Amino acid sequence: MHLTPTRSRIRLRAAAVAAALGALLLAPLPAAQQAEAAATLTNAGFESDATGTATPAGWSTYSAAGQNAASFTEAGGRSGGYRLSHWSASAYKVETYQYLSGLANGTYTLSAWVRSGGGQNAAYLALRNCGSAEQRTDLPVTSSGWIRIVTSVTVTGGACTVSINSDAKAGNWLNVDDLTFTSGSTGLAVRGVDVSSLKKSEDLGGTYRTSAGTTGDPVAILKNAGANYGRLKVWVNPADGYNNKARVLATAQRIKAQGMKLLVDFHYSDIWADPGAQSKPAAWQGHSYAQLRTDVYNHTYDVLNALKAQGTTADMVQIGNEINTGMLWPEGSTSNWPQLAGLLNSGISAAKAVSSNTQIALHLANGGDNALYRTWFDNATAQGVSYDVIAFSFYGYWHGALSSLQANLDDISARYGKKVMVAETAYPFRLDSEDGHENIIDLSSELVSGYPAGAAGQSAWLRDVMNVVEAVPNGRGLGVFYWEPTWTAVTGNGWDPTDSSSGNGWENQALFDYDSKLLPAATWLAHR
């Protein structure tokens, strides 16, 4: 992520705001309403009935208020001719469900393709009455492209109910199609937070509180919310003395002390590196390409070996940050792939020399751009670059629809046989600025449709990005990092390390509000 104070460079993509997501849930289904049991899903694509069928073959419909007609089949399936829809011209609560029995005990995963216009109090898939805790996955707001979501559960009594639920306002709608119920489990191994700005914030007086208002260590607060990974960027010799080796070592100790894992994000610069800026550190200016390869190796080894020496070995390392266009320009530009590959391999070799178990991630921005990722990683493969993880930045107000992210994650993970993760995402919980510096996102017209700037919208965004990554096939969806949740408005902790008065355009996307209290979105860090 790169911050710039100019509005023209940061407003790249926007969409209209829609109604807020809610959190009210439907009551469990009474046993007397359960359908005739089957051992496998019947009519999982809703193709057995014509348009308008309120209760599709193999399924049952339940509404305490007698609103069964809000559930029906209609033309326009993701595949085949039909889909299930929930809709009514008046407010409604309805459930479409199928009861399965004769199951072998074990873990199962429900997968479904969904769309929703958003605005419901609740819209979700559930696995209930399975002998273990009910599991749910909320539908994302996606009125155009279909999105696949998954839900997993442990079956202990040989039976389980597959349930599609709406608690909706008048005119709210959802579509569901092509469900599967198969053996296997889901979940995210990485539920991370980038706390690179934290040390400077605290040194300048920043404080952090739990949702109940108790002041505490923000690393511990985020860990207790569910975070299991910390991410720290490394600059070579930044003007303000932060995000350098010494400060990274100090914060790494705090991360590891909480039992969290550590991702180290090398920028190979003295300042922000991103697709539009990959400037060499001042100390490396004028160096030949051969010397730059040595610089990359030595710097990477030095930082990682120091981390190892203090007992905080990096679990994952990014060799470069958002390197769509390469790094260490001009020598490492993508216009000269053999040289870029040489620089990448220098960093990778150094990381593996320190710890062979450290995972290597290569990180691009524009997470919805499949052509970019194919071109980039085809070149990396052709040049013999060895890595473990493909990392994506995905900010919906810049990088497109969630359906585009999913399509890219699915394709890239399969094409290269690698784990994938979202290394950066975030969303506003309000639009106004606390410090007087213009926020990067500060107009409703810039927001993602269906995700308002509020606690609910921020929560829904993080939830849905995590759900999309969880659904990557073959267990290749590794996880998600929330970018800079602790970058609150603290005087002097601005975006420009050379200018203490530069201000922060990000405080409205942190996970701590303007009273320094933890926001509800942080609870999604406990995602299964």
Side-chain angles (χ1 to χ4, degrees), residues 284-298:
W284 302 359
Q285 293 292 332
H287 287 192
S288 67
Y289 169 68
Q291 182 60 46
L292 287 172
R293 288 197 63 178
T294 301
D295 293 334
V296 168
Y297 186 97
N298 289 343

Side-chain angles (χ1 to χ4, degrees), residues 137-200:
T137 299
D138 296 272
L139 270 65
V141 182
T142 170
S143 58
S144 53
W146 291 85
I147 287 181
R148 184 184 60 258
I149 59 175
V150 295
T151 307
S152 64
V153 74
T154 299
V155 173
T156 62
C160 193
T161 299
V162 174
S163 177
I164 303 161
N165 299 265
S166 291
D167 178 356
K169 304 177 182 71
N172 292 161
W173 61 270
L174 63 77
N175 302 145
V176 179
D177 203 2
D178 297 335
L179 295 94
T180 63
F181 185 78
T182 57
S183 296
S185 62
T186 65
L188 295 177
V190 173
R191 304 180 306 279
V193 286
D194 186 315
V195 291
S196 297
S197 71
L198 175 59
K199 178 61 175 168
K200 187 174 181 180

Side-chain angles (χ1 to χ4, degrees), residues 38 51 193 239 254 283 335 349 377 391 393 404 409 427 442 450 458 460 515:
T51 296
V193 286
R254 295 173 62 183
S335 63
S349 295
F377 283 97
S393 285
S404 297
L409 289 167
Y427 205 76
D442 63 355
Q458 184 187 55
D515 292 321

Side-chain angles (χ1 to χ4, degrees), residues 314-365:
D315 300 281
M316 191 183 301
V317 171
Q318 280 181 223
I319 305 300
N321 185 76
E322 294 189 336
I323 51 177
N324 303 31
T325 50
M327 66 187 203
L328 294 168
W329 291 346
E331 288 82 359
S333 166
T334 49
S335 63
N336 190 333
W337 256 101
Q339 289 195 174
L340 172 57
L343 294 169
L344 292 170
N345 283 329
S346 289
I348 292 165
S349 295
K352 290 294 188 180
V354 173
S355 171
S356 60
N357 293 326
T358 294
Q359 296 287 288
I360 303 299
L362 299 179
H363 173 214
L364 307 186

Side-chain angles (χ1 to χ4, degrees), residues 213-238:
T214 303
T215 300
D217 175 1
V219 179
I221 291 171
L222 290 166
K223 164 64 185 309
N224 291 336
N228 66 357
Y229 235 108
R231 180 179 187 249
L232 297 173
K233 68 172 172 278
V234 186
W235 290 337
V236 177
N237 188 26

